[in-house]
PDB file of all heavy atoms in Angstrom:
ATOM      1  N   ALA A   1      10.332   1.372   7.884  1.00 98.00           N
ATOM      2  CA  ALA A   1       9.076   1.876   8.494  1.00 98.00           C
ATOM      3  C   ALA A   1       9.254   2.026  10.017  1.00 98.00           C
ATOM      4  O   ALA A   1       8.791   3.017  10.597  1.00 98.00           O
ATOM      5  CB  ALA A   1       7.936   0.951   8.209  1.00 98.00           C
ATOM      6  N   ILE A   2       9.950   1.113  10.660  1.00 98.00           N
ATOM      7  CA  ILE A   2      10.214   1.227  12.063  1.00 98.00           C
ATOM      8  C   ILE A   2      11.109   2.409  12.410  1.00 98.00           C
ATOM      9  O   ILE A   2      10.846   3.182  13.323  1.00 98.00           O
ATOM     10  CB  ILE A   2      10.877  -0.071  12.667  1.00 98.00           C
ATOM     11  CG1 ILE A   2       9.870  -1.225  12.500  1.00 98.00           C
ATOM     12  CG2 ILE A   2      11.306   0.094  14.092  1.00 98.00           C
ATOM     13  CD1 ILE A   2      10.480  -2.630  12.793  1.00 98.00           C
ATOM     14  N   ALA A   3      12.148   2.606  11.602  1.00 98.00           N
ATOM     15  CA  ALA A   3      13.014   3.720  11.780  1.00 98.00           C
ATOM     16  C   ALA A   3      12.283   5.030  11.548  1.00 98.00           C
ATOM     17  O   ALA A   3      12.429   6.004  12.351  1.00 98.00           O
ATOM     18  CB  ALA A   3      14.205   3.673  10.774  1.00 98.00           C
ATOM     19  N   THR A   4      11.410   5.104  10.594  1.00 98.00           N
ATOM     20  CA  THR A   4      10.628   6.315  10.300  1.00 98.00           C
ATOM     21  C   THR A   4       9.627   6.544  11.438  1.00 98.00           C
ATOM     22  O   THR A   4       9.479   7.689  11.936  1.00 98.00           O
ATOM     23  CB  THR A   4       9.889   6.140   8.973  1.00 98.00           C
ATOM     24  OG1 THR A   4      10.832   5.889   7.937  1.00 98.00           O
ATOM     25  CG2 THR A   4       9.108   7.445   8.646  1.00 98.00           C
ATOM     26  N   ALA A   5       8.906   5.491  11.804  1.00 98.00           N
ATOM     27  CA  ALA A   5       7.837   5.626  12.866  1.00 98.00           C
ATOM     28  C   ALA A   5       8.463   6.025  14.205  1.00 98.00           C
ATOM     29  O   ALA A   5       7.860   6.776  14.930  1.00 98.00           O
ATOM     30  CB  ALA A   5       7.080   4.343  12.976  1.00 98.00           C
ATOM     31  N   SER A   6       9.617   5.420  14.533  1.00 98.00           N
ATOM     32  CA  SER A   6      10.183   5.747  15.916  1.00 98.00           C
ATOM     33  C   SER A   6      10.682   7.152  15.902  1.00 98.00           C
ATOM     34  O   SER A   6      10.632   7.888  16.891  1.00 98.00           O
ATOM     35  CB  SER A   6      11.344   4.775  16.203  1.00 98.00           C
ATOM     36  OG  SER A   6      12.330   4.734  15.211  1.00 98.00           O
ATOM     37  N   THR A   7      11.258   7.623  14.755  1.00 98.00           N
ATOM     38  CA  THR A   7      11.701   8.993  14.637  1.00 98.00           C
ATOM     39  C   THR A   7      10.493  10.010  14.752  1.00 98.00           C
ATOM     40  O   THR A   7      10.576  11.005  15.464  1.00 98.00           O
ATOM     41  CB  THR A   7      12.449   9.328  13.383  1.00 98.00           C
ATOM     42  OG1 THR A   7      13.571   8.409  13.298  1.00 98.00           O
ATOM     43  CG2 THR A   7      12.936  10.691  13.254  1.00 98.00           C
ATOM     44  N   LEU A   8       9.352   9.654  14.122  1.00 98.00           N
ATOM     45  CA  LEU A   8       8.188  10.456  14.222  1.00 98.00           C
ATOM     46  C   LEU A   8       7.697  10.519  15.685  1.00 98.00           C
ATOM     47  O   LEU A   8       7.192  11.557  16.136  1.00 98.00           O
ATOM     48  CB  LEU A   8       7.053   9.862  13.355  1.00 98.00           C
ATOM     49  CG  LEU A   8       7.187  10.098  11.876  1.00 98.00           C
ATOM     50  CD1 LEU A   8       6.255   9.172  11.112  1.00 98.00           C
ATOM     51  CD2 LEU A   8       6.896  11.557  11.508  1.00 98.00           C
ATOM     52  N   ALA A   9       7.851   9.473  16.439  1.00 98.00           N
ATOM     53  CA  ALA A   9       7.491   9.436  17.840  1.00 98.00           C
ATOM     54  C   ALA A   9       8.262  10.410  18.680  1.00 98.00           C
ATOM     55  O   ALA A   9       7.875  10.726  19.839  1.00 98.00           O
ATOM     56  CB  ALA A   9       7.580   8.031  18.409  1.00 98.00           C
ATOM     57  N   VAL A  10       9.370  10.844  18.127  1.00 98.00           N
ATOM     58  CA  VAL A  10      10.217  11.887  18.844  1.00 98.00           C
ATOM     59  C   VAL A  10       9.913  13.270  18.267  1.00 98.00           C
ATOM     60  O   VAL A  10       9.557  14.183  19.035  1.00 98.00           O
ATOM     61  CB  VAL A  10      11.712  11.553  18.663  1.00 98.00           C
ATOM     62  CG1 VAL A  10      12.584  12.676  19.293  1.00 98.00           C
ATOM     63  CG2 VAL A  10      12.019  10.206  19.334  1.00 98.00           C
ATOM     64  N   VAL A  11      10.020  13.426  16.953  1.00 98.00           N
ATOM     65  CA  VAL A  11       9.990  14.790  16.331  1.00 98.00           C
ATOM     66  C   VAL A  11       8.571  15.218  16.000  1.00 98.00           C
ATOM     67  O   VAL A  11       8.351  16.389  15.666  1.00 98.00           O
ATOM     68  CB  VAL A  11      10.855  14.820  15.116  1.00 98.00           C
ATOM     69  CG1 VAL A  11      12.302  14.431  15.413  1.00 98.00           C
ATOM     70  CG2 VAL A  11      10.337  13.961  13.965  1.00 98.00           C
ATOM     71  N   TYR A  12       7.548  14.377  16.118  1.00 96.00           N
ATOM     72  CA  TYR A  12       6.208  14.707  15.711  1.00 96.00           C
ATOM     73  C   TYR A  12       5.228  14.305  16.889  1.00 96.00           C
ATOM     74  O   TYR A  12       4.168  13.629  16.648  1.00 96.00           O
ATOM     75  CB  TYR A  12       5.842  13.984  14.477  1.00 96.00           C
ATOM     76  CG  TYR A  12       5.190  14.846  13.437  1.00 96.00           C
ATOM     77  CD1 TYR A  12       5.802  15.974  12.926  1.00 96.00           C
ATOM     78  CD2 TYR A  12       3.920  14.522  12.873  1.00 96.00           C
ATOM     79  CE1 TYR A  12       5.216  16.816  11.988  1.00 96.00           C
ATOM     80  CE2 TYR A  12       3.351  15.303  11.920  1.00 96.00           C
ATOM     81  CZ  TYR A  12       3.967  16.485  11.430  1.00 96.00           C
ATOM     82  OH  TYR A  12       3.396  17.200  10.474  1.00 96.00           O
ATOM     83  N   PRO A  13       5.534  14.698  18.156  1.00 97.00           N
ATOM     84  CA  PRO A  13       4.786  14.173  19.294  1.00 97.00           C
ATOM     85  C   PRO A  13       3.347  14.655  19.371  1.00 97.00           C
ATOM     86  O   PRO A  13       2.518  14.119  20.119  1.00 97.00           O
ATOM     87  CB  PRO A  13       5.566  14.674  20.480  1.00 97.00           C
ATOM     88  CG  PRO A  13       6.247  15.934  19.954  1.00 97.00           C
ATOM     89  CD  PRO A  13       6.586  15.610  18.545  1.00 97.00           C
ATOM     90  N   GLN A  14       3.016  15.728  18.597  1.00 95.00           N
ATOM     91  CA  GLN A  14       1.672  16.196  18.555  1.00 95.00           C
ATOM     92  C   GLN A  14       0.737  15.157  17.864  1.00 95.00           C
ATOM     93  O   GLN A  14      -0.506  15.237  18.104  1.00 95.00           O
ATOM     94  CB  GLN A  14       1.520  17.514  17.805  1.00 95.00           C
ATOM     95  CG  GLN A  14       1.769  17.514  16.350  1.00 95.00           C
ATOM     96  CD  GLN A  14       3.163  17.504  15.863  1.00 95.00           C
ATOM     97  OE1 GLN A  14       4.010  17.066  16.563  1.00 95.00           O
ATOM     98  NE2 GLN A  14       3.447  18.035  14.662  1.00 95.00           N
ATOM     99  N   MET A  15       1.267  14.227  17.117  1.00 93.00           N
ATOM    100  CA  MET A  15       0.464  13.279  16.397  1.00 93.00           C
ATOM    101  C   MET A  15       0.777  11.796  16.748  1.00 93.00           C
ATOM    102  O   MET A  15      -0.115  10.923  16.568  1.00 93.00           O
ATOM    103  CB  MET A  15       0.703  13.435  14.829  1.00 93.00           C
ATOM    104  CG  MET A  15       0.325  14.784  14.342  1.00 93.00           C
ATOM    105  SD  MET A  15      -1.397  15.163  14.592  1.00 93.00           S
ATOM    106  CE  MET A  15      -1.490  16.853  14.102  1.00 93.00           C
ATOM    107  N   CYS A  16       1.956  11.512  17.211  1.00 94.00           N
ATOM    108  CA  CYS A  16       2.214  10.098  17.546  1.00 94.00           C
ATOM    109  C   CYS A  16       3.405  10.056  18.524  1.00 94.00           C
ATOM    110  O   CYS A  16       4.373  10.845  18.441  1.00 94.00           O
ATOM    111  CB  CYS A  16       2.461   9.241  16.335  1.00 94.00           C
ATOM    112  SG  CYS A  16       4.108   9.563  15.508  1.00 94.00           S
ATOM    113  N   THR A  17       3.385   9.100  19.490  1.00 97.00           N
ATOM    114  CA  THR A  17       4.429   8.902  20.441  1.00 97.00           C
ATOM    115  C   THR A  17       4.517   7.364  20.756  1.00 97.00           C
ATOM    116  O   THR A  17       3.720   6.570  20.290  1.00 97.00           O
ATOM    117  CB  THR A  17       4.159   9.616  21.765  1.00 97.00           C
ATOM    118  OG1 THR A  17       3.041   8.967  22.445  1.00 97.00           O
ATOM    119  CG2 THR A  17       3.841  11.060  21.519  1.00 97.00           C
ATOM    120  N   LEU A  18       5.434   7.005  21.631  1.00 98.00           N
ATOM    121  CA  LEU A  18       5.559   5.636  22.094  1.00 98.00           C
ATOM    122  C   LEU A  18       4.289   5.279  22.895  1.00 98.00           C
ATOM    123  O   LEU A  18       4.061   4.081  23.117  1.00 98.00           O
ATOM    124  CB  LEU A  18       6.729   5.445  23.010  1.00 98.00           C
ATOM    125  CG  LEU A  18       8.037   5.008  22.341  1.00 98.00           C
ATOM    126  CD1 LEU A  18       8.593   6.126  21.448  1.00 98.00           C
ATOM    127  CD2 LEU A  18       9.133   4.643  23.355  1.00 98.00           C
ATOM    128  N   GLY A  19       3.488   6.197  23.295  1.00 98.00           N
ATOM    129  CA  GLY A  19       2.339   5.937  24.071  1.00 98.00           C
ATOM    130  C   GLY A  19       1.079   5.752  23.307  1.00 98.00           C
ATOM    131  O   GLY A  19      -0.051   5.772  23.838  1.00 98.00           O
ATOM    132  N   GLY A  20       1.185   5.562  21.932  1.00 97.00           N
ATOM    133  CA  GLY A  20       0.016   5.419  21.118  1.00 97.00           C
ATOM    134  C   GLY A  20      -0.192   4.036  20.534  1.00 97.00           C
ATOM    135  O   GLY A  20       0.327   3.078  21.067  1.00 97.00           O
ATOM    136  N   ASP A  21      -0.924   3.929  19.432  1.00 97.00           N
ATOM    137  CA  ASP A  21      -1.197   2.650  18.744  1.00 97.00           C
ATOM    138  C   ASP A  21      -0.731   2.732  17.303  1.00 97.00           C
ATOM    139  O   ASP A  21      -0.506   3.824  16.755  1.00 97.00           O
ATOM    140  CB  ASP A  21      -2.703   2.432  18.708  1.00 97.00           C
ATOM    141  CG  ASP A  21      -3.284   2.052  20.081  1.00 97.00           C
ATOM    142  OD1 ASP A  21      -2.496   1.630  20.969  1.00 97.00           O
ATOM    143  OD2 ASP A  21      -4.525   2.235  20.261  1.00 97.00           O
ATOM    144  N   ASN A  22      -0.595   1.573  16.671  1.00 97.00           N
ATOM    145  CA  ASN A  22      -0.359   1.550  15.187  1.00 97.00           C
ATOM    146  C   ASN A  22      -0.980   0.330  14.568  1.00 97.00           C
ATOM    147  O   ASN A  22      -1.294  -0.616  15.159  1.00 97.00           O
ATOM    148  CB  ASN A  22       1.103   1.748  14.859  1.00 97.00           C
ATOM    149  CG  ASN A  22       2.046   0.685  15.418  1.00 97.00           C
ATOM    150  OD1 ASN A  22       1.663  -0.440  15.629  1.00 97.00           O
ATOM    151  ND2 ASN A  22       3.312   1.035  15.583  1.00 97.00           N
ATOM    152  N   PHE A  23      -1.174   0.482  13.213  1.00 97.00           N
ATOM    153  CA  PHE A  23      -1.704  -0.549  12.362  1.00 97.00           C
ATOM    154  C   PHE A  23      -0.880  -0.664  11.086  1.00 97.00           C
ATOM    155  O   PHE A  23      -0.456   0.374  10.532  1.00 97.00           O
ATOM    156  CB  PHE A  23      -3.163  -0.206  11.931  1.00 97.00           C
ATOM    157  CG  PHE A  23      -4.110  -0.130  13.109  1.00 97.00           C
ATOM    158  CD1 PHE A  23      -4.260   1.057  13.802  1.00 97.00           C
ATOM    159  CD2 PHE A  23      -4.882  -1.252  13.502  1.00 97.00           C
ATOM    160  CE1 PHE A  23      -5.153   1.139  14.906  1.00 97.00           C
ATOM    161  CE2 PHE A  23      -5.744  -1.163  14.554  1.00 97.00           C
ATOM    162  CZ  PHE A  23      -5.848   0.020  15.268  1.00 97.00           C
ATOM    163  N   TRP A  24      -0.615  -1.897  10.662  1.00 98.00           N
ATOM    164  CA  TRP A  24       0.294  -2.108   9.540  1.00 98.00           C
ATOM    165  C   TRP A  24      -0.382  -2.950   8.444  1.00 98.00           C
ATOM    166  O   TRP A  24      -1.095  -3.946   8.706  1.00 98.00           O
ATOM    167  CB  TRP A  24       1.475  -2.951  10.019  1.00 98.00           C
ATOM    168  CG  TRP A  24       2.341  -2.432  11.056  1.00 98.00           C
ATOM    169  CD1 TRP A  24       2.016  -2.204  12.360  1.00 98.00           C
ATOM    170  CD2 TRP A  24       3.756  -2.059  10.921  1.00 98.00           C
ATOM    171  NE1 TRP A  24       3.113  -1.703  13.049  1.00 98.00           N
ATOM    172  CE2 TRP A  24       4.207  -1.666  12.249  1.00 98.00           C
ATOM    173  CE3 TRP A  24       4.624  -2.092   9.891  1.00 98.00           C
ATOM    174  CZ2 TRP A  24       5.442  -1.204  12.444  1.00 98.00           C
ATOM    175  CZ3 TRP A  24       5.916  -1.703  10.136  1.00 98.00           C
ATOM    176  CH2 TRP A  24       6.355  -1.248  11.403  1.00 98.00           C
ATOM    177  N   LEU A  25      -0.146  -2.556   7.183  1.00 98.00           N
ATOM    178  CA  LEU A  25      -0.336  -3.431   6.048  1.00 98.00           C
ATOM    179  C   LEU A  25       1.069  -3.754   5.471  1.00 98.00           C
ATOM    180  O   LEU A  25       1.832  -2.774   5.174  1.00 98.00           O
ATOM    181  CB  LEU A  25      -1.202  -2.829   4.934  1.00 98.00           C
ATOM    182  CG  LEU A  25      -2.669  -2.741   5.200  1.00 98.00           C
ATOM    183  CD1 LEU A  25      -3.355  -2.063   4.009  1.00 98.00           C
ATOM    184  CD2 LEU A  25      -3.298  -4.092   5.493  1.00 98.00           C
ATOM    185  N   ILE A  26       1.487  -4.973   5.342  1.00 98.00           N
ATOM    186  CA  ILE A  26       2.792  -5.360   4.914  1.00 98.00           C
ATOM    187  C   ILE A  26       2.705  -6.303   3.741  1.00 98.00           C
ATOM    188  O   ILE A  26       2.096  -7.413   3.827  1.00 98.00           O
ATOM    189  CB  ILE A  26       3.605  -6.048   6.039  1.00 98.00           C
ATOM    190  CG1 ILE A  26       3.685  -5.109   7.289  1.00 98.00           C
ATOM    191  CG2 ILE A  26       4.974  -6.389   5.578  1.00 98.00           C
ATOM    192  CD1 ILE A  26       4.312  -5.795   8.483  1.00 98.00           C
ATOM    193  N   TYR A  27       3.283  -5.959   2.602  1.00 98.00           N
ATOM    194  CA  TYR A  27       3.373  -6.801   1.437  1.00 98.00           C
ATOM    195  C   TYR A  27       4.806  -7.398   1.390  1.00 98.00           C
ATOM    196  O   TYR A  27       5.766  -6.730   1.389  1.00 98.00           O
ATOM    197  CB  TYR A  27       3.055  -6.027   0.157  1.00 98.00           C
ATOM    198  CG  TYR A  27       3.184  -6.885  -1.087  1.00 98.00           C
ATOM    199  CD1 TYR A  27       2.211  -7.803  -1.456  1.00 98.00           C
ATOM    200  CD2 TYR A  27       4.391  -6.836  -1.817  1.00 98.00           C
ATOM    201  CE1 TYR A  27       2.376  -8.632  -2.537  1.00 98.00           C
ATOM    202  CE2 TYR A  27       4.563  -7.619  -2.965  1.00 98.00           C
ATOM    203  CZ  TYR A  27       3.521  -8.519  -3.313  1.00 98.00           C
ATOM    204  OH  TYR A  27       3.731  -9.342  -4.422  1.00 98.00           O
ATOM    205  N   ASN A  28       4.825  -8.762   1.297  1.00 98.00           N
ATOM    206  CA  ASN A  28       6.035  -9.486   1.189  1.00 98.00           C
ATOM    207  C   ASN A  28       6.275  -9.898  -0.277  1.00 98.00           C
ATOM    208  O   ASN A  28       5.520 -10.738  -0.779  1.00 98.00           O
ATOM    209  CB  ASN A  28       5.955 -10.713   2.115  1.00 98.00           C
ATOM    210  CG  ASN A  28       7.302 -11.457   2.221  1.00 98.00           C
ATOM    211  OD1 ASN A  28       8.056 -11.551   1.265  1.00 98.00           O
ATOM    212  ND2 ASN A  28       7.537 -12.017   3.394  1.00 98.00           N
ATOM    213  N   ALA A  29       7.273  -9.338  -0.895  1.00 98.00           N
ATOM    214  CA  ALA A  29       7.548  -9.593  -2.291  1.00 98.00           C
ATOM    215  C   ALA A  29       7.979 -10.996  -2.594  1.00 98.00           C
ATOM    216  O   ALA A  29       7.752 -11.532  -3.696  1.00 98.00           O
ATOM    217  CB  ALA A  29       8.546  -8.600  -2.861  1.00 98.00           C
ATOM    218  N   LYS A  30       8.604 -11.647  -1.609  1.00 97.00           N
ATOM    219  CA  LYS A  30       9.099 -12.984  -1.778  1.00 97.00           C
ATOM    220  C   LYS A  30       7.936 -14.014  -1.864  1.00 97.00           C
ATOM    221  O   LYS A  30       7.939 -14.930  -2.694  1.00 97.00           O
ATOM    222  CB  LYS A  30      10.009 -13.421  -0.602  1.00 97.00           C
ATOM    223  CG  LYS A  30      11.407 -12.795  -0.619  1.00 97.00           C
ATOM    224  CD  LYS A  30      12.223 -13.329   0.533  1.00 97.00           C
ATOM    225  CE  LYS A  30      13.619 -12.754   0.527  1.00 97.00           C
ATOM    226  NZ  LYS A  30      14.412 -13.282   1.714  1.00 97.00           N
ATOM    227  N   THR A  31       6.993 -13.829  -1.004  1.00 97.00           N
ATOM    228  CA  THR A  31       5.864 -14.751  -0.876  1.00 97.00           C
ATOM    229  C   THR A  31       4.607 -14.311  -1.596  1.00 97.00           C
ATOM    230  O   THR A  31       3.655 -15.095  -1.788  1.00 97.00           O
ATOM    231  CB  THR A  31       5.534 -15.040   0.568  1.00 97.00           C
ATOM    232  OG1 THR A  31       5.043 -13.791   1.176  1.00 97.00           O
ATOM    233  CG2 THR A  31       6.759 -15.501   1.355  1.00 97.00           C
ATOM    234  N   GLY A  32       4.548 -12.972  -1.962  1.00 97.00           N
ATOM    235  CA  GLY A  32       3.287 -12.472  -2.532  1.00 97.00           C
ATOM    236  C   GLY A  32       2.209 -12.339  -1.495  1.00 97.00           C
ATOM    237  O   GLY A  32       0.990 -12.159  -1.863  1.00 97.00           O
ATOM    238  N   GLU A  33       2.548 -12.361  -0.212  1.00 97.00           N
ATOM    239  CA  GLU A  33       1.598 -12.333   0.849  1.00 97.00           C
ATOM    240  C   GLU A  33       1.339 -10.886   1.355  1.00 97.00           C
ATOM    241  O   GLU A  33       2.300 -10.121   1.444  1.00 97.00           O
ATOM    242  CB  GLU A  33       2.158 -13.152   2.028  1.00 97.00           C
ATOM    243  CG  GLU A  33       1.329 -13.326   3.226  1.00 97.00           C
ATOM    244  CD  GLU A  33       2.014 -14.183   4.292  1.00 97.00           C
ATOM    245  OE1 GLU A  33       3.231 -14.083   4.469  1.00 97.00           O
ATOM    246  OE2 GLU A  33       1.300 -15.020   4.903  1.00 97.00           O
ATOM    247  N   LEU A  34       0.084 -10.556   1.655  1.00 98.00           N
ATOM    248  CA  LEU A  34      -0.228  -9.269   2.249  1.00 98.00           C
ATOM    249  C   LEU A  34      -0.753  -9.534   3.690  1.00 98.00           C
ATOM    250  O   LEU A  34      -1.761 -10.216   3.857  1.00 98.00           O
ATOM    251  CB  LEU A  34      -1.225  -8.544   1.418  1.00 98.00           C
ATOM    252  CG  LEU A  34      -1.663  -7.115   1.954  1.00 98.00           C
ATOM    253  CD1 LEU A  34      -0.499  -6.177   1.840  1.00 98.00           C
ATOM    254  CD2 LEU A  34      -2.818  -6.582   1.176  1.00 98.00           C
ATOM    255  N   LYS A  35      -0.079  -8.947   4.655  1.00 98.00           N
ATOM    256  CA  LYS A  35      -0.422  -9.174   6.034  1.00 98.00           C
ATOM    257  C   LYS A  35      -0.868  -7.910   6.721  1.00 98.00           C
ATOM    258  O   LYS A  35      -0.487  -6.808   6.302  1.00 98.00           O
ATOM    259  CB  LYS A  35       0.738  -9.798   6.808  1.00 98.00           C
ATOM    260  CG  LYS A  35       1.164 -11.154   6.327  1.00 98.00           C
ATOM    261  CD  LYS A  35       2.416 -11.678   7.071  1.00 98.00           C
ATOM    262  CE  LYS A  35       2.089 -12.097   8.482  1.00 98.00           C
ATOM    263  NZ  LYS A  35       1.236 -13.349   8.524  1.00 98.00           N
ATOM    264  N   ALA A  36      -1.709  -8.070   7.698  1.00 98.00           N
ATOM    265  CA  ALA A  36      -2.156  -6.927   8.504  1.00 98.00           C
ATOM    266  C   ALA A  36      -1.824  -7.148   9.933  1.00 98.00           C
ATOM    267  O   ALA A  36      -2.063  -8.263  10.470  1.00 98.00           O
ATOM    268  CB  ALA A  36      -3.664  -6.724   8.335  1.00 98.00           C
ATOM    269  N   LEU A  37      -1.327  -6.166  10.645  1.00 98.00           N
ATOM    270  CA  LEU A  37      -0.925  -6.219  12.076  1.00 98.00           C
ATOM    271  C   LEU A  37      -1.671  -5.204  12.876  1.00 98.00           C
ATOM    272  O   LEU A  37      -1.470  -3.957  12.628  1.00 98.00           O
ATOM    273  CB  LEU A  37       0.607  -6.037  12.138  1.00 98.00           C
ATOM    274  CG  LEU A  37       1.246  -6.076  13.565  1.00 98.00           C
ATOM    275  CD1 LEU A  37       1.002  -7.438  14.187  1.00 98.00           C
ATOM    276  CD2 LEU A  37       2.709  -5.746  13.563  1.00 98.00           C
ATOM    277  N   ASN A  38      -2.397  -5.651  13.832  1.00 98.00           N
ATOM    278  CA  ASN A  38      -3.192  -4.758  14.717  1.00 98.00           C
ATOM    279  C   ASN A  38      -2.404  -4.580  16.019  1.00 98.00           C
ATOM    280  O   ASN A  38      -2.336  -5.454  16.843  1.00 98.00           O
ATOM    281  CB  ASN A  38      -4.561  -5.328  15.029  1.00 98.00           C
ATOM    282  CG  ASN A  38      -5.469  -4.396  15.777  1.00 98.00           C
ATOM    283  OD1 ASN A  38      -4.962  -3.559  16.535  1.00 98.00           O
ATOM    284  ND2 ASN A  38      -6.727  -4.630  15.674  1.00 98.00           N
ATOM    285  N   ALA A  39      -1.801  -3.370  16.187  1.00 98.00           N
ATOM    286  CA  ALA A  39      -1.074  -3.066  17.430  1.00 98.00           C
ATOM    287  C   ALA A  39      -1.798  -1.980  18.166  1.00 98.00           C
ATOM    288  O   ALA A  39      -1.156  -0.989  18.615  1.00 98.00           O
ATOM    289  CB  ALA A  39       0.347  -2.692  17.062  1.00 98.00           C
ATOM    290  N   SER A  40      -3.065  -2.149  18.319  1.00 97.00           N
ATOM    291  CA  SER A  40      -3.838  -1.166  19.191  1.00 97.00           C
ATOM    292  C   SER A  40      -4.021  -1.796  20.522  1.00 97.00           C
ATOM    293  O   SER A  40      -4.190  -2.977  20.704  1.00 97.00           O
ATOM    294  CB  SER A  40      -5.143  -0.866  18.514  1.00 97.00           C
ATOM    295  OG  SER A  40      -6.006  -1.959  18.435  1.00 97.00           O
ATOM    296  N   GLY A  41      -4.045  -0.896  21.515  1.00 97.00           N
ATOM    297  CA  GLY A  41      -4.134  -1.379  22.901  1.00 97.00           C
ATOM    298  C   GLY A  41      -5.596  -1.581  23.362  1.00 97.00           C
ATOM    299  O   GLY A  41      -6.487  -0.932  22.878  1.00 97.00           O
ATOM    300  N   ARG A  42      -5.763  -2.507  24.281  1.00 98.00           N
ATOM    301  CA  ARG A  42      -7.061  -2.742  24.937  1.00 98.00           C
ATOM    302  C   ARG A  42      -7.217  -1.916  26.184  1.00 98.00           C
ATOM    303  O   ARG A  42      -6.226  -1.487  26.819  1.00 98.00           O
ATOM    304  CB  ARG A  42      -7.220  -4.195  25.202  1.00 98.00           C
ATOM    305  CG  ARG A  42      -7.160  -5.090  23.982  1.00 98.00           C
ATOM    306  CD  ARG A  42      -7.118  -6.549  24.305  1.00 98.00           C
ATOM    307  NE  ARG A  42      -7.128  -7.422  23.146  1.00 98.00           N
ATOM    308  CZ  ARG A  42      -6.096  -7.703  22.351  1.00 98.00           C
ATOM    309  NH1 ARG A  42      -4.922  -7.193  22.680  1.00 98.00           N
ATOM    310  NH2 ARG A  42      -6.185  -8.479  21.338  1.00 98.00           N
ATOM    311  N   SER A  43      -8.489  -1.701  26.546  1.00 98.00           N
ATOM    312  CA  SER A  43      -8.754  -1.010  27.793  1.00 98.00           C
ATOM    313  C   SER A  43      -8.223  -1.837  28.964  1.00 98.00           C
ATOM    314  O   SER A  43      -8.126  -3.058  28.913  1.00 98.00           O
ATOM    315  CB  SER A  43     -10.273  -0.723  27.913  1.00 98.00           C
ATOM    316  OG  SER A  43     -10.981  -1.973  27.889  1.00 98.00           O
ATOM    317  N   GLY A  44      -8.016  -1.173  30.110  1.00 98.00           N
ATOM    318  CA  GLY A  44      -7.508  -1.843  31.275  1.00 98.00           C
ATOM    319  C   GLY A  44      -8.583  -2.688  31.937  1.00 98.00           C
ATOM    320  O   GLY A  44      -9.752  -2.603  31.721  1.00 98.00           O
ATOM    321  N   GLU A  45      -8.088  -3.663  32.747  1.00 98.00           N
ATOM    322  CA  GLU A  45      -8.936  -4.588  33.434  1.00 98.00           C
ATOM    323  C   GLU A  45      -9.855  -3.894  34.425  1.00 98.00           C
ATOM    324  O   GLU A  45     -10.936  -4.465  34.780  1.00 98.00           O
ATOM    325  CB  GLU A  45      -8.129  -5.701  34.100  1.00 98.00           C
ATOM    326  CG  GLU A  45      -7.121  -5.158  35.188  1.00 98.00           C
ATOM    327  CD  GLU A  45      -6.266  -6.237  35.754  1.00 98.00           C
ATOM    328  OE1 GLU A  45      -6.530  -7.436  35.523  1.00 98.00           O
ATOM    329  OE2 GLU A  45      -5.329  -5.872  36.492  1.00 98.00           O
ATOM    330  N   MET A  46      -9.529  -2.705  34.864  1.00 97.00           N
ATOM    331  CA  MET A  46     -10.285  -1.946  35.784  1.00 97.00           C
ATOM    332  C   MET A  46     -11.186  -0.906  35.132  1.00 97.00           C
ATOM    333  O   MET A  46     -11.859  -0.122  35.820  1.00 97.00           O
ATOM    334  CB  MET A  46      -9.428  -1.304  36.842  1.00 97.00           C
ATOM    335  CG  MET A  46      -8.639  -2.297  37.665  1.00 97.00           C
ATOM    336  SD  MET A  46      -7.355  -1.487  38.697  1.00 97.00           S
ATOM    337  CE  MET A  46      -8.328  -0.389  39.699  1.00 97.00           C
TER     338      MET A  46
END
């Protein structure tokens, strides 16, 4: 997913770049755990 997403940030800049946000759902087959990762940015202090 990281390899795919980073490539998209280059070849698909109309929709995503290093300057954006992302959200993940990750299922771990070893543990049976489903995790969610919020990688959205917050507004600046000013």
Side-chain angles (χ1 to χ4, degrees):
I2 295 169
T4 305
S6 60
T7 302
L8 284 165
V10 175
V11 304
Y12 228 56
Q14 73 277 25
M15 299 299 171
C16 71
T17 70
L18 269 68
D21 289 339
N22 59 29
F23 298 86
W24 300 66
L25 287 180
I26 302 172
Y27 175 78
N28 187 326
K30 286 184 179 179
T31 64
E33 181 180 41
L34 183 66
K35 296 179 70 70
L37 178 63
N38 185 335
S40 63
R42 296 170 178 82
S43 57
E45 60 186 350
M46 297 169 59

